[in-house]
Amino acid sequence: MDELFAPPTYEWQRLSPRYVTLRQLSALLFWPLVLTIPAVLIGLVWNLWWVAGLIWLAAVLIALDRAWFGRKSWRSWGYAERDDHLYITHGAWFRHLTAVPYGRMQLVEVESGPLERAFGLATVTLKTASPDTDARIPGLSASDATQLRDRITELGESRSSGL
Amino acid sequence: MSEPRVTQPPPAPAPAPPVRPGVKQAERPHPLTPFIRGWLVLVAIVLGFARQFLENGSSGGGINTSDLRWIVPFGVAVVLAAAAAGFLSWYFTRFVIDDDELRIETGVVVKRSRRVPFERLQSVDIVQPFAARFFGLAELRLEAGAGGSGIKLRYLSRVDASRLRDYLLTRAHGHSARIADVADSALPSRFTDLGQGDRTLVRVSPQRLIGSFLLTNNWLVTAGFALLIFVITAAFQVAVALPGLIPVVISAVSMIGSRVIAMFNFTVAESGRGVRITRGLTNLASQSVPVNRVQGVRITQPLLWRPFGWYRVDVDILGYTSSDEGRDRDDATTVLLPVGAAADVSHLLDRVLPGIDLDTLELRRAPRRAAVLSWFDFWTLRSGYDARVVVTEQGWLTHARYVVPHAKAQSVRMYQGPLQRRLGLADVHIDTPRGPVKAVARLLEARAARELAMSQLGRARAARSTAEGRAALSPDDASEADLLDHFGIGADTLIGTGGEAKVYALDAERVLRVYHSNHQSTVEVVGQLQGLYRAWADQQMAVPLILQNGTWAGRVYTVNRRLPGENFADWLAGADPTERPAALMSYLDAAGAVQQLPAPIPGFARLVGSGAPARFDSLVSLLTAQLQPQLEVSRVALQADIPQVARVWEELVRALHARQCRPAVVHGDFCPANIYLARSDDGRLRISGVGDFSPHTLVADPWMDLAGAVIFLELEPYPEAVADSRWLEQQALSRWGRDLARWIAVYRRFYGFYFSSAYRFDPALYQWCIRQLTPLGG
């Protein structure tokens, strides 16, 4: 994190540390599961079990890499609530900084999938009139998420401006 | 005008049935609607089969004539079913568009009722498909915010459609209007849908449209590809490539459809309610773009247009999806100008983004090392901003320039990929609603990118808060703000709001009057007042002088000479009680001085307003004619609130009949708010000028203003106003004679009737009117 993508004056607020575990777990589950299908197919159809084994090895390596990357990714996320804007940053390699004026918010969503729920996490998404606005904060603890939603909805109401 | 109603009191004994709110007459679309929809289905079927026939015909097999046995009955059945469905949907579609609401009810099985607040309307379009055009019918399309919540009303007669459109647009701009006000607007031309009041800004000639189309990149690629296939076929004597031609031909045809036929006769006109676009060779589409709802502008130039200096302009409007190559050719498009010279473009931009000069805006180039990432167009990447807009440019095959007003920008994003990071570059995105505008300042120096993004947030915030401040001031937000911007003044220069206009101080010498309504009649009134003021300019009493008048952002304005002194009503509110008598005496003098102004025509007359100057053969016919429109509005209310109103009216008419006087100029609204007071060199307070002559201004009984001066004083909010009014009446009687007392009483009734239409908008004033309307007696 360098100052180029830093918010003005304040420190970033971080996501819940459980988000790292969530990311690592989902990476470890996802890659082996997905790559098992072609591996088994290749093994059964062409009887090339050594290729299947290689694919499996690759799957495990990718999963481990992703799992390792999970911490780095977690560290890249951050958000900051300022007077007029919500700042969100993410991406370790492909870095993004999004600033959304509270007055431009059309709605705020809180979502939580089954895996996220198991970890007590939720995702907050801000929508504006522009489909390009990419303002999503994943991995917030459920209580943080609802509190954040309530705060920014209130700010949005007081600052809302016509299109 | 004769005097048919002089003896017949307008509050007639048999009152018209009062309109009961709640039980409204919902209308249905035009009864021909199902037929046209059936016809459209028939055309679609015939075309579908024809295409099938042609495509299969070349490769043998497919449909042949024997199949017609079942094709024809099947086609007939489908058409009948479509017509029946059309009939049902027509029968169950009802709409209400009136003074209070816009409501549409649809659905045969599932009923759906939608009520749209007038202020939410983003645009109102009229579309005439070819078949509907034959029958003089049109479809009305309403957009109400983002998210495809479009409403289609089909089909209405052209007269109704254009009348409703005018009304809805007036309401959408926040003006109050009644549907009856737009009822008799002249029918626009059949081919361009432009009314008489509309001024053409740009018209695209067919030659230029077709010429420019042939030079677009897309067309050249498509045509080149088709040519290539032909050449291969001819050269190698093989027909393998021919099937590949079909999609090419289809895309070419659809391109011609959307870029030439749909854009034919493209005309941009300035109408009272925004910019109006009409276009189409077969289908006629007419869009009204509300200028204050333009979210961004894109100006593009394909490479081969460069020698001709042509440009194309698109705009982002909420609710219009980008139908750049749209299949629905009669859909609303985002195109503001399909092709035009630089002069046309700047002419239109003046209208859409007033006061913005793109030529002087300084743009910064992407640094040289951007070539590593974007070797094919790095030299075209530029970006910059000024106080009102941010601008980005890119591309050379098609050069595009994006302009986004700060007040309309949504979020701001910064992006940096790994390669950009290594080179120290970054992108800044200015997000706008869905549409052709995608403003991205690409590959900026990282520091510059950060600086642009952060400062952009501040500029957008500032722009939003001024826009909000203005919106809170007046519902006619953007047009008025535009007008003020045009004159380089802020909303804080407001010095007064009257019944007709808002007044802003331009400088010590001049004021800007912004009229509330933008009806044609307002322009007429301004012209008449200009003439009157000029004729009175060298009189002893100062009257306003119109230095300049015009229309900007759809608003009628005048620049007037500023009257010297302070507004008398403001002065009265905080005046030293010992100074009031002298000032009030001068106020009475001024009321007497108005009658000394030379009347432009002899006899009794109305000087300002529609059809003015209009002469009348007697005082009573002039004054009853003045009261007629007010009573149309308030008759029912008056009858309900004043039992003996017919008697009051008869007494008033009888008294006016008996009045003998020499006709003289009457201000008609001689009240402290329209009068200016100054302290002369010797320290005495004197009325320095009389402003706001208006459609109330007449050539009539000179005592009307004396009565008005006395009567209207009691409406002032300061505590002793009523007592001062009594005192002033005594002063007036001692100067003009006891006889005046009776006429002040008569004109109390007159003004009571005259302002009774206030029951619609000013209950306090209406209550005052009711108190005036007591029987005269004796």
Side-chain angles (χ1 to χ4, degrees):
Chain A
M1 192 74 53
D2 67 337
E3 58 187 280
L4 190 58
F5 279 74
T9 358
Y10 290 144
E11 276 297 301
W12 290 114
Q13 288 194 259
R14 296 292 163 201
L15 308 186
S16 159
R18 280 181 307 229
Y19 183 62
V20 185
T21 330
L22 172 71
R23 284 292 295 257
Q24 286 170 340
L25 183 71
S26 56
L28 289 175
L29 286 173
F30 179 79
W31 289 103
L33 269 177
V34 164
L35 290 180
T36 296
I37 299 163
V40 169
L41 268 179
I42 286 171
L44 285 178
V45 177
W46 289 285
N47 214 14
L48 294 169
W49 286 108
W50 63 274
V51 177
L54 278 183
I55 291 177
W56 240 92
L57 189 66
V60 170
L61 286 178
I62 292 175
L64 286 175
D65 174 68
R66 291 284 94 190
W68 169 78
F69 185 73
R71 180 158 290 278
K72 203 173 159 68
S73 159
W74 173 80
R75 238 182 291 137
S76 81
W77 278 96
Y79 67 95
E81 298 165 65
R82 296 298 319 281
D83 293 347
D84 295 289
H85 306 93
L86 179 75
Y87 294 84
I88 301 169
T89 187
H90 69 97
W93 291 106
F94 299 89
R95 298 193 302 170
H96 296 260
L97 173 69
T98 305
V100 187
Y102 296 125
R104 283 298 184 208
M105 278 182 324
Q106 306 269 21
L107 59 99
V108 185
E109 275 177 4
V110 178
E111 284 173 304
S112 189
L115 204 58
E116 276 181 304
R117 257 206 311 281
F119 281 83
L121 296 176
T123 301
V124 175
T125 311
L126 276 72
K127 296 264 166 77
T128 69
S130 167
D132 306 320
T133 301
D134 160 36
R136 196 176 130 263
I137 313 174
L140 291 174
S141 78
S143 63
D144 277 0
T146 48
Q147 277 168 23
L148 178 66
R149 176 197 63 195
D150 294 347
R151 274 199 306 276
I152 53 190
T153 319
E154 206 170 294
L155 284 167
E157 268 165 18
S158 63
R159 269 148 235 246
S160 141
S161 58
L163 285 164
Chain B
M1 195 179 281
S2 65
E3 39 191 75
R5 287 180 188 250
V6 170
T7 48
Q8 179 72 31
V19 181
R20 215 178 297 280
V23 190
K24 277 185 195 152
Q25 193 61 46
E27 291 178 74
R28 282 209 188 91
H30 199 278
L32 275 175
T33 303
F35 297 100
I36 292 168
R37 296 175 91 170
W39 158 265
L40 289 181
V41 172
L42 178 66
V43 170
I45 290 176
V46 168
L47 280 181
F49 274 114
R51 182 144 86 188
Q52 198 78 10
F53 197 73
L54 286 179
E55 283 181 14
N56 292 346
S58 57
S59 55
I63 305 168
N64 52 48
T65 41
S66 62
D67 290 337
L68 286 178
R69 269 208 320 274
W70 60 269
I71 289 177
V72 170
F74 175 74
V76 169
V78 169
V79 170
L80 285 180
F87 175 78
L88 282 177
S89 104
W90 167 77
Y91 186 81
F92 286 100
T93 300
R94 285 161 185 275
F95 62 93
V96 177
I97 300 180
D98 65 12
D99 296 349
D100 309 317
E101 60 171 350
L102 159 58
R103 181 158 50 86
I104 286 126
E105 279 157 18
T106 48
V108 181
V109 183
V110 181
K111 299 280 182 201
R112 187 165 182 209
S113 174
R114 277 191 284 181
R115 195 167 187 274
V116 182
F118 289 116
E119 312 76 54
R120 288 285 161 79
L121 282 176
Q122 300 286 325
S123 65
V124 183
D125 303 336
I126 289 182
V127 176
Q128 280 190 283
F130 200 44
R133 234 172 144 181
F134 269 123
F135 297 97
L137 298 183
E139 175 180 335
L140 197 63
R141 286 192 187 165
L142 314 173
E143 291 291 345
S149 53
I151 294 170
K152 292 177 179 179
L153 268 183
R154 57 189 168 191
Y155 293 95
L156 310 172
S157 75
R158 278 189 65 241
V159 187
D160 283 347
S162 77
R163 187 169 59 94
L164 290 176
R165 188 246 325 258
D166 286 354
Y167 171 68
L168 290 174
L169 284 174
T170 312
R171 293 300 300 261
H173 278 84
H175 299 290
S176 60
R178 287 185 304 137
I179 196 148
D181 293 346
V182 292
D184 50 354
S185 59
L187 190 62
S189 140
R190 183 169 293 268
F191 293 101
T192 57
D193 193 53
L194 294 179
Q196 285 154 352
D198 301 345
R199 193 164 54 85
T200 303
L201 292 173
V202 179
R203 202 176 156 277
V204 180
S205 71
Q207 300 91 308
R208 182 178 282 185
L209 182 69
I210 294 167
S212 68
F213 169 70
L214 294 178
L215 292 176
T216 54
N217 300 345
N218 290 8
W219 172 254
L220 288 174
V221 167
T222 312
F225 195 66
L227 198 67
L228 189 72
I229 291 176
F230 272 120
V231 168
I232 291 173
T233 315
F236 301 99
Q237 300 289 314
V238 285
V240 219
L242 274 185
L245 208 55
I246 291 172
V248 177
V249 169
I250 289 176
S251 87
V253 168
S254 93
M255 214 184 281
I256 293 175
S258 65
R259 294 270 189 94
V260 179
I261 296 178
M263 298 294 162
F264 215 77
N265 256 334
F266 198 100
T267 309
V268 188
E270 160 111 52
S271 78
R273 302 174 182 86
V275 172
R276 180 164 301 169
I277 293 170
T278 60
R279 61 191 173 83
L281 183 63
T282 52
N283 300 352
L284 184 70
S286 166
Q287 280 169 252
S288 299
V289 182
V291 171
N292 50 348
R293 285 170 189 171
V294 169
Q295 307 278 331
V297 177
R298 179 182 76 173
I299 305 163
T300 46
Q301 185 179 46
L303 187 63
L304 291 180
W305 284 16
R306 211 173 286 179
F308 302 93
W310 289 336
Y311 298 89
R312 168 190 165 124
V313 183
D314 296 76
V315 289
D316 260 12
I317 304 242
L318 271 182
Y320 285 7
T321 42
S322 172
S323 52
D324 190 21
E325 314 295 328
R327 284 171 298 120
D328 272 346
R329 288 203 295 273
D330 50 47
D331 252 359
T333 69
T334 55
V335 181
L336 186 65
L337 182 68
V339 57
D344 298 335
V345 173
S346 67
H347 198 44
L348 278 184
L349 287 185
D350 269 354
R351 190 66 187 77
V352 176
L353 303 171
I356 290 171
D357 190 1
L358 292 180
D359 298 327
T360 59
L361 208 147
E362 211 173 301
L363 295 180
R364 198 183 335 199
R365 281 177 193 285
R368 181 97 190 105
R369 60 182 186 278
V372 179
L373 282 169
S374 200
W375 50 269
F376 47 90
D377 68 351
F378 70 94
W379 67 93
T380 62
L381 304 178
R382 305 202 296 165
S383 62
Y385 57 85
D386 70 1
R388 297 198 38 202
V389 291
V390 55
V391 177
T392 69
E393 286 188 1
Q394 66 177 72
W396 62 274
L397 263 176
T398 297
H399 180 262
R401 168 185 275 201
Y402 301 95
V403 184
V404 179
H406 298 316
K408 301 291 186 188
Q410 299 286 325
S411 50
V412 174
R413 286 177 296 136
M414 216 162 90
Y415 167 78
Q416 189 181 46
L419 280 174
Q420 288 179 349
R421 189 178 193 179
R422 178 151 282 213
L423 292 165
L425 300 171
D427 295 347
V428 175
H429 298 245
I430 316 291
D431 295 328
T432 47
R434 195 181 301 279
V437 178
K438 297 259 174 280
V440 186
R442 287 184 51 210
L443 303 179
L444 295 175
E445 189 102 39
R447 299 236 135 267
R450 164 108 187 165
E451 197 271 326
L452 173 65
M454 293 302 148
S455 64
Q456 179 60 29
L457 291 171
R459 285 189 296 272
R461 182 183 50 212
R464 272 200 309 277
S465 63
T466 45
E468 268 163 51
R470 281 163 183 171
L473 253 177
S474 141
D476 307 327
D477 44 8
S479 62
E480 195 161 320
D482 281 350
L483 181 55
L484 295 184
D485 273 351
H486 175 58
F487 282 98
I489 55 175
D492 54 329
T493 58
L494 182 78
I495 49 179
T497 306
E500 271 103 38
K502 277 187 169 181
V503 184
Y504 295 90
L506 271 181
D507 51 40
E509 301 289 307
R510 300 176 304 154
V511 292
L512 175 70
R513 285 176 68 89
V514 184
Y515 283 82
H516 296 317
S517 90
N518 53 8
H519 290 299
Q520 192 56 37
S521 59
T522 311
V523 179
E524 200 180 339
V525 164
V526 166
Q528 291 159 344
L529 286 175
Q530 192 164 22
L532 284 179
Y533 291 158
R534 209 177 289 140
W536 294 338
D538 51 358
Q539 293 296 308
Q540 202 165 23
M541 194 181 60
V543 296
L545 188 64
I546 297 181
L547 304 168
Q548 185 189 340
N549 65 8
T551 309
W552 180 267
R555 303 296 298 271
V556 179
Y557 69 86
T558 62
V559 175
N560 290 14
R561 187 176 67 187
R562 195 169 179 168
L563 284 169
E566 186 186 356
N567 188 289
F568 189 41
D570 294 346
W571 181 84
L572 279 175
D576 178 355
T578 58
E579 285 195 315
R580 270 208 304 260
L584 286 171
M585 286 310 288
S586 178
Y587 168 66
L588 200 58
D589 289 342
V594 170
Q595 14 177 309
Q596 308 300 327
L597 293 170
I601 52 174
F604 296 103
R606 182 196 293 139
L607 290 180
V608 179
S610 179
R615 290 191 57 180
F616 290 81
D617 43 14
S618 66
L619 177 66
V620 68
S621 60
L622 166 63
L623 294 187
T624 47
Q626 282 293 101
L627 291 177
Q628 250 355 289
Q630 321 297 330
L631 291 174
E632 306 261 306
V633 176
S634 60
R635 180 187 312 240
V636 176
L638 286 175
Q639 277 170 333
D641 292 330
I642 309 172
Q644 70 277 45
V645 67
R647 181 174 153 210
V648 178
W649 174 259
E650 266 173 54
E651 285 173 350
L652 173 64
V653 171
R654 212 176 304 131
L656 292 174
H657 243 313
R659 171 71 176 153
Q660 297 292 322
C661 67
R662 177 186 54 83
V665 171
V666 171
H667 181 283
D669 191 13
F670 197 92
C671 63
N674 291 337
I675 311 299
Y676 293 83
L677 177 86
R679 203 176 281 279
S680 56
D681 298 333
D682 53 2
R684 293 227 320 266
L685 285 163
R686 274 193 66 244
I687 295 301
S688 51
V690 178
D692 287 301
F693 289 81
S694 65
H696 308 305
T697 301
L698 306 171
V699 184
D701 183 353
W703 282 4
M704 283 177 73
D705 277 342
L706 295 182
V710 169
I711 295 167
F712 298 144
L713 181 61
E714 72 183 49
L715 282 167
E716 287 305 308
Y718 73 97
E720 302 87 4
V722 176
D724 278 356
S725 169
R726 298 273 174 281
W727 176 81
L728 194 64
E729 182 165 357
Q730 292 312 315
Q731 300 301 315
L733 294 188
S734 64
R735 189 178 311 177
W736 278 278
R738 308 295 312 173
D739 206 22
L740 180 60
R742 171 172 164 74
W743 293 103
I744 289 179
V746 168
Y747 286 118
R748 255 184 209 288
R749 273 71 185 173
F750 171 78
Y751 285 121
F753 279 118
Y754 196 61
F755 292 112
S756 59
S757 56
Y759 93 92
R760 293 173 63 96
F761 51 86
D762 187 347
L765 181 57
Y766 178 65
Q767 287 307 319
W768 178 85
C769 289
I770 289 180
R771 288 200 300 277
Q772 310 311 307
L773 295 174
T774 55
L776 264 170

